[in-house]
């Protein structure tokens, strides 16, 4: 979807290094989310934001932090990457009052070696 | 806590036939929405169909329809006249109200045989 972009699309990193994934939206939506997708688990929520500088934890937040200094950008940081964080990461956006679910980015495949 | 369960990890269907993917959910809420998303090999998440819990009528979008059984907390997806392009992973998802977080099932991989 053109209204939401994720970068990078692929990344390989070493264990113990910090990694930052970026999500950028042009829709001016209030809510932004980070999910990870793993086989057998579907998509699980890591962190979400309900406004600038307003964030909260999801069900699998350990080892991750987020920041949202502008409406359009939501950053996900792996403070010290581990092999268990090898996954596909999705960003999503939504707005209050819409029942169309979320709009998703194209995902980032992260491999931690 | 709300949960979503897809008990069929893999399904297959012959081209032009009909297939039904199952989904059950658990919630004590009365105001919620249910969704089916399609994820083709491109990895893009595509909204297929949605259902508002307060609506008794089952949602339909072209070849895609749902069987929403609120009392049984069941939300199955029926794909009619299956096409090769329907091959993908399908996720069932639940959202409480308009601001709740989207909760996903484990996914079902659909294979379409020519």
């Amino acid at each position: 979807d053109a209204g939401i972009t994720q970068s990078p699309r692929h990344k390989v990193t070493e264990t113990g290094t910090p990694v930052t994934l970026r999500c950028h939206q042009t829709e001016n939506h209030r809510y932004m989310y980070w999910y990870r997708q793993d086989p057998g688990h579907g998509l699980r929520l890591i962190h979400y934001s309900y406004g600038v500088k307003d964030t909260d934890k999801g069900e699998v937040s350990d080892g991750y932090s987020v920041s949202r200094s502008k409406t359009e950008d939501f950053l996900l940081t792996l403070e010290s990457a581990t092999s268990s964080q090898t996954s596909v990461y999705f960003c999503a956006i939504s707005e209050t009052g819409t029942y169309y679910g979320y709009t998703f980015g194209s995902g980032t495949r992260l491999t931690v070696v | 806590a709300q949960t979503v369960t897809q008990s069929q990890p893999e399904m297959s269907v012959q081209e032009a036939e009909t297939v039904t993917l199952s989904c059950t959910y658990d919630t004590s809420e009365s105001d919620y929405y249910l969704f089916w998303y399609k994820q083709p090999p491109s990895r893009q998440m595509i909204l297929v169909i949605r259902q508002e819990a307060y609506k008794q009528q089952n949602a339909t979008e072209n070849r895609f329809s749902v069987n929403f059984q609120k009392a049984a907390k069941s939300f199955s997806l029926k794909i009619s006249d299956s096409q090769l392009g329907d091959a993908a992973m399908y996720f069932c998802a639940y959202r409480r109200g308009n601001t709740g977080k989207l909760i996903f099932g484990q996914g079902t991989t659909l294979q379409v045989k020519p």
Side-chain angles (χ1 to χ4, degrees):
Chain A
D1 190 284
I4 177 171
T5 55
Q6 290 185 233
S7 58
R9 186 159 173 79
H10 304 275
K11 186 173 181 64
V12 179
T13 191
E14 293 185 349
T15 299
T17 60
V19 177
T20 295
L21 308 182
R22 181 178 183 248
C23 179
H24 179 78
Q25 63 149 326
T26 58
E27 305 296 323
N28 201 36
H29 282 352
R30 176 182 177 188
Y31 296 93
M32 299 186 75
Y33 310 84
W34 278 108
Y35 284 85
R36 60 177 289 174
Q37 181 180 0
D38 304 291
H41 292 278
L43 280 75
R44 293 179 291 174
L45 184 65
I46 304 171
H47 281 281
Y48 64 101
S49 170
Y50 42 93
V52 173
K53 298 185 179 179
D54 290 326
T55 65
D56 206 348
K57 297 178 180 180
E59 64 175 306
V60 290
S61 60
D62 287 348
Y64 302 93
S65 62
V66 290
S67 66
R68 191 172 180 196
S69 58
K70 299 184 290 184
T71 299
E72 57 266 35
D73 291 324
F74 193 32
L75 304 180
L76 176 70
T77 297
L78 288 66
E79 295 140 8
S80 177
T82 67
S83 58
S84 65
Q85 293 175 312
T86 292
S87 186
V88 178
Y89 291 84
F90 284 95
C91 178
I93 59 175
S94 72
E95 188 51 84
T96 305
T98 63
Y99 53 85
Y100 290 93
Y102 296 177
T103 301
F104 286 85
S106 301
T108 295
R109 179 174 295 279
L110 176 69
T111 303
V112 183
V113 299
Chain B
Q2 295 89 3
T3 59
V4 178
T5 302
Q6 295 177 249
S7 59
Q8 306 156 316
E10 297 179 349
M11 293 281 286
S12 66
V13 62
Q14 207 70 33
E15 194 175 7
E17 298 294 309
T18 296
V19 64
T20 298
L21 308 184
S22 300
C23 174
T24 58
Y25 60 96
D26 186 25
T27 185
S28 58
E29 303 288 338
S30 59
D31 177 26
Y32 57 89
Y33 299 87
L34 297 165
F35 305 87
W36 279 98
Y37 279 89
K38 172 185 177 181
Q39 186 183 48
S42 67
R43 216 163 63 197
Q44 187 64 45
M45 293 289 286
I46 302 166
L47 179 63
V48 175
I49 197 166
R50 72 177 189 278
Q51 174 79 44
E52 295 88 335
Y54 62 86
K55 288 188 176 180
Q56 292 186 338
Q57 186 174 5
N58 289 324
T60 299
E61 291 286 344
N62 300 314
R63 298 182 295 108
F64 298 87
S65 62
V66 299
N67 183 7
F68 174 46
Q69 300 291 326
K70 191 171 183 178
K73 296 180 182 176
S74 171
F75 183 60
S76 60
L77 175 69
K78 185 172 81 171
I79 306 174
S80 304
D81 185 25
S82 295
Q83 302 175 359
L84 295 178
D86 294 334
M89 178 164 283
Y90 288 82
F91 291 100
C92 178
Y94 164 98
R95 182 183 193 184
R96 177 178 60 83
N98 281 333
T99 60
K101 299 174 286 295
L102 210 54
I103 300 169
F104 288 87
Q106 300 89 334
T108 297
T109 299
L110 177 65
Q111 179 186 26
V112 181
K113 299 178 180 178

